[in-house]
Amino acid sequence: MQLKVLKLELFYNSAAARMFQHDTRYLSPFPAESAEHFSRRLLAWLCLYELHPALAAQQAKGPDLYVLDQHQHYQLWCQVDTPNDKLLQKASHQSDHVLLMLDTPSIARYLSSHRQQANVQVCEIPDTTVAQCLNMLRAGMQWSVWRDDLQLQITDGDQMLELDMPQLSAGLH
């Protein structure tokens, strides 16, 4: 990615949660992170926004996004690409809930090669949505997000994309 830091002015509205939030964030891709991976992390963050997830500050052997409780225990561990088996086992053991937000081919490969673990959930961020998000990335962005129960609608004033929300377990809400 060419951009080192992006400023996102976010207007987030959720009628179900009776929430309207105006938030300004400075976001930075990892060194050598692809634009597609960064877009997936950003879209996953927007899907989980009401849980107040943290974006990983560095590309390490930890989650891309996470939610910690007051004891620094992972309530949610989120990856936007398929983790290797060792990282998946670590995530499953250290977290109450693991969320993999993958593209369609990665979901098919994951499901065919892994047995389903009780605390691991897989959902899709389609490549077409990632491509739309890439077109919206700028050094200075102003996005409005509307959430209904099943979908996010994201616009920058010129373009709009829609993303299906993951159906998370009740313990995370």
Side-chain angles (χ1 to χ4, degrees):
M1 274 194 70
Q2 298 289 337
L3 301 171
K4 298 292 183 198
V5 176
L6 293 90
K7 177 184 177 186
L8 173 61
E9 187 174 1
L10 179 67
F11 297 90
Y12 184 92
N13 185 28
S14 172
R18 295 188 175 134
M19 175 184 196
F20 177 79
Q21 188 87 24
H22 177 220
D23 193 2
T24 301
R25 295 285 176 117
Y26 293 89
L27 308 168
S28 180
F30 301 137
E33 180 178 23
S34 72
E36 291 80 7
H37 190 270
F38 179 75
S39 293
R40 283 187 193 287
R41 283 197 309 132
L42 184 55
L43 291 169
W45 177 70
L46 290 172
C47 284
L48 302 171
Y49 186 79
E50 292 177 31
L51 299 174
H52 308 290
L55 282 163
Q58 59 184 351
Q59 195 168 16
K61 295 181 179 174
D64 289 322
L65 296 123
Y66 57 91
V67 176
L68 295 171
D69 66 13
Q70 67 271 17
H71 304 291
Q72 302 301 305
H73 170 75
Y74 288 106
Q75 291 178 305
L76 175 67
W77 178 303
C78 178
Q79 293 289 135
V80 298
D81 53 7
T82 307
N84 63 40
D85 290 340
K86 188 175 180 179
L87 184 58
L88 183 61
Q89 184 177 18
K90 176 183 175 182
S92 182
H93 283 60
Q94 291 185 358
S95 178
D96 297 335
H97 192 81
V98 177
L99 181 62
L100 303 178
M101 298 185 79
L102 310 173
D103 60 9
T104 307
S106 296
I107 290 173
R109 281 192 306 272
Y110 173 82
L111 293 175
S112 69
S113 65
H114 291 83
R115 64 179 173 80
Q116 188 60 35
Q117 296 173 329
N119 69 335
V120 177
Q121 180 180 348
V122 181
C123 63
E124 180 180 15
I125 299 180
D127 286 334
T128 54
T129 304
V130 172
Q132 288 175 301
C133 182
L134 285 170
N135 289 331
M136 294 169 61
L137 291 180
R138 309 272 183 279
M141 303 178 292
Q142 187 176 52
W143 287 5
S144 293
V145 177
W146 292 273
R147 178 181 182 248
D148 65 27
D149 287 336
L150 304 174
Q151 196 170 62
L152 280 183
Q153 295 178 336
I154 305 164
T155 184
D156 64 359
D158 294 326
Q159 302 174 68
M160 183 167 157
L161 65 90
E162 294 181 345
L163 180 61
D164 292 333
M165 295 287 296
Q167 300 301 308
L168 300 174
S169 64
L172 286 171
H173 293 285

